[in-house]
Amino acid sequence: MRLLVTGGAGFIGSNFVHLTERTRPDARITVVDAFTYAANEASLEGAAATIVRGDIADAALLDELLADFGPDDAIVHFAAESHNDNSIAGPSPFIDTNIRGTFELLEAARRHDIRFHHISTDEVYGDLPLGTPERFIEATPYHPSSPYSASKAGADMLVRAWIRTYGLRATLSNCSNNYGPRQHVEKFIPRQITTLDDGGRPRLYGTGDNVRDWIHVDDHNEAVWAILERGRLGETYLVGADGEASNREIVRLLCEIMGHDPDAVDFVTDRPGHDRRYAIDAGKLQAELGWEPRYTDLRAGLEQTVDWYRKHREWWEPSKGVVEEKYAKIEEVLER
Ligand code: NAD
Ligand code: DAU
């Protein structure tokens, strides 16, 4: 099987490449990645995949990459602008990549009749109240809050239209918050780990009570494989591992794991439009495809993640200063 993996130099995409090469050695992977600030060449070190530097909105490049793909091959579409705070500060690239880029890929998949799997997010459903048992299911209406989640919702709608109108052989998955190795230091968990490692204080938005439903990146990527191998064409599958925790609880766990005072945290001005809570009901994925998460102990998963960041300082250190400067500017604007 040949796979075109978009965004394969980012967090989830690079972990997908490594997991695939470990577990499905017959798969031949081509990565196409624009190598934006979010990519890291070191994330693909040791991978056998062919790596192509390019934009998913470049139709001619896509034709070239798909020229010798056959009916059993697939596109796995991870590439995106992925960070909410960036989308609030400057939404334009989110429209270009997440909507225009997905459109060009869908058109390329249609021209070459290639199976397409679209990676999306639970954020398209908006948020849930705190402290209720409610969870997202596949039929939950779309209600995105941020420019990022709105652009992902737009991309999902395009995929669904291409399935219905053109009969594109496609599937979608909407996953909750991922954690694990190779996640950019702008994101919540790596930001706090690397700040603590540098002797700083974790930074919590608002009250720190917002809840996310954490899943290890390898569990997400095994779910993607379950869908590629056994998923019904045209269907959407929600992916989550019952990992609900408030941001404050995550920081407390990280402080305990890393040997820091859990009360030495800074509360900063809240993210505008901040979603309160995400929670996934992954019943369809489990019942239909037999997928189960392997990382069911969040503390153990975080310990493994902390260990990875401690052992790979050279991977994250070059971006840390730039990211903290960016956050300082955002905080300054929000405090005004
Ligand atoms: P990331 O920001 O770490 O990586 C995105 C990758 O896409 C980067 O390597 C970047 O260079 C590449 N890219 C961006 N624009 C591109 C373009 N125009 N052409 C080609 N490549 C481009 O993101 P991530 O966290 O790995 O997320 C991957 C996907 O999973 C995204 O679609 C995201 O919406 C989705 N998702 C993420 C999470 C999460 O918790 N991180 C959860 C659910 C879904
Ligand atoms: O739910 C899936 C989504 O999860 C993905 O679609 C996105 O690509 C991914 O970035 C993530 O979005 P979030 O906005 O939930 O993740 P982030 O890591 O930015 O923040 C997680 C929570 O932590 C959120 O409630 C905001 C809060 N936060 C974040 C940062 C960076 C803080 O309290 N302090 C921080 O320093």
Side-chain angles (χ1 to χ4, degrees), residues 71-100:
D72 296 331
D73 300 334
I75 299 171
V76 188
H77 177 31
F78 292 95
E81 285 292 336
S82 69
H83 193 41
N84 275 298
D85 292 322
N86 295 345
S87 82
I88 296 165
S92 181
F94 289 74
I95 308 303
D96 294 342
T97 289
N98 300 359
I99 298 185
R100 179 86 208 174

Side-chain angles (χ1 to χ4, degrees), residues 10-12 33-34 36 55-56 78 82 97 120 148 152 176 178:
F11 165 45
I12 306 177
D33 198 298
T36 69
D55 193 322
I56 53 165
F78 292 95
S82 69
T97 289
S120 191
Y148 162 67
K152 291 295 291 186
S176 61
N178 287 218

